[in-house]
Amino acid sequence: MKLSINKYYLLLIAGGMSFGTASIFIKLSGMPPGSLAFLRFFIAGLILGKVDLKKVVRYSPFGLLLAMHMVTFIISVYSTTIIDATVLVSTSPFFVILLSPFLKFKVNLRDIIAVITGFLGVVLMNLPLNPGLLFGNAIAILSAFLIALYTAGLSKVKDEPITLTSSIYISSSIFTLPLFLIQGLGTVTITSVLALLGLIALPTLLGHTSIIVASGKVKPQHIETIGLLEPVVATLLAIPIFGQIPTVFEIFGGMLVILSILIVVTSGEKS
């Protein structure tokens, strides 16, 4: 049964919410970037099944981009504050807009307003801004560019979603295998195993898979804007997990992010 455009947006919202758990699982795991990235995509690819080696090769450019995004994001989480990493990775919708002339997909004024509204919300949530570490912040921006390029390019691909997703995940695991072999598994504890399983189940199988399934059905800038739910959910999760009560800035910033998503969801435009 073919999903309607509204159901694709609902899927993306669920996926966007799941991204809010990613940085928390990464921090809790304490595992090296290579280990997390390889195991995350290899196991997720096997769970989805339908592995087609020819398509693994065909979609290897997307596998490479996703692998590079994931490794750089994990490095940024370990190298700077979670807040800085999350905020800077959330610049990805701007990169999608900038890539639009090269990849030839439509961007209108409504899209630009939604992106700016959402990003202002993310910035407002994190006032006063913590400069963090320059290296970690730079890596987070690079990670944002890589996922924007991945999402924008993926919008041109037409294939069966589950096979496409599995092929990209297996391809990503192949590209992260050398780093995994160099860095090793890291310290394995019950916490790290549970955090890895959570990382696979939520931001990978639900989050990244929602992007692949919705690609070609939803405009890439809309996909990235809905992804701005990540810092909102991370802030909400910090209340029970870390006892961090949202500030006035976080409350109003979160409202702006939700407003930007409402602008996108009610636009009624397809890719």
Side-chain angles (χ1 to χ4, degrees):
M1 184 172 133
K2 194 173 181 180
L3 291 172
S4 69
I5 188 68
N6 289 333
K7 290 183 179 180
Y8 282 117
Y9 278 121
L10 288 175
L11 177 62
L12 285 169
I13 289 172
M17 292 175 67
S18 75
F19 284 134
T21 66
S23 57
I24 293 174
F25 284 136
I26 289 169
K27 275 288 190 184
L28 289 175
S29 75
M31 297 173 72
S35 177
L36 276 176
F38 171 75
L39 292 173
R40 175 181 187 176
F41 290 124
F42 182 69
I43 295 173
L46 292 181
I47 289 174
L48 289 174
K50 295 190 177 182
V51 177
D52 186 327
L53 293 180
K54 289 184 179 179
K55 290 187 177 182
V56 169
V57 174
R58 181 190 306 173
Y59 298 126
S60 59
F62 296 104
L64 177 60
L65 284 172
L66 186 58
M68 292 172 66
H69 159 70
M70 188 47 53
V71 170
T72 51
F73 176 65
I74 295 170
I75 291 172
S76 72
V77 169
Y78 285 152
S79 303
T80 187
T81 64
I82 288 180
I83 289 176
D84 284 351
T86 305
V87 170
L88 292 171
V89 166
S90 296
T91 59
S92 57
F94 283 108
F95 286 116
V96 170
I97 296 292
L98 292 174
L99 288 168
S100 61
F102 304 99
L103 295 177
K104 298 179 180 178
F105 56 84
K106 293 189 299 180
V107 173
N108 56 35
L109 181 59
R110 188 187 184 104
D111 296 338
I112 296 172
I113 291 173
V115 167
I116 293 175
T117 302
F119 182 68
L120 286 177
V122 172
V123 173
L124 189 61
M125 285 179 65
N126 293 281
L127 289 177
L129 292 174
N130 184 339
L133 299 176
L134 181 60
F135 173 76
N137 289 348
I139 291 295
I141 294 173
L142 174 60
S143 183
F145 172 75
L146 291 169
I147 195 62
L149 188 60
Y150 167 83
T151 304
L154 200 61
S155 66
K156 304 295 182 182
V157 177
K158 308 293 182 186
D159 205 336
E160 194 277 317
I162 300 302
T163 303
L164 173 61
T165 305
S166 180
S167 299
I168 290 175
Y169 286 170
I170 295 298
S171 176
S172 291
S173 70
I174 293 171
F175 284 114
T176 54
L177 179 59
L179 188 60
F180 170 58
L181 294 176
I182 293 170
Q183 295 182 335
L185 194 58
T187 304
V188 179
T189 64
I190 293 177
T191 300
S192 65
V193 171
L194 290 176
L196 175 62
L197 293 176
L199 193 64
I200 293 169
L202 292 177
T204 308
L205 287 175
L206 178 56
H208 283 288
T209 300
S210 72
I211 291 176
I212 296 175
V213 171
S215 291
K217 309 296 188 302
V218 176
K219 296 168 74 172
Q221 60 270 34
H222 288 190
I223 292 175
E224 289 300 316
T225 301
I226 293 174
L228 293 175
L229 277 170
E230 178 177 351
V232 177
V233 173
T235 300
L236 292 175
L237 289 175
I239 299 174
I241 296 174
F242 303 113
Q244 297 177 357
I245 307 301
T247 65
V248 174
F249 286 126
E250 288 172 331
I251 293 171
F252 281 104
M255 290 172 66
L256 280 178
V257 171
I258 293 171
L259 175 60
S260 73
I261 293 168
L262 287 174
I263 294 172
V264 161
V265 172
T266 57
S267 69
E269 291 186 44
K270 295 185 179 182
S271 172

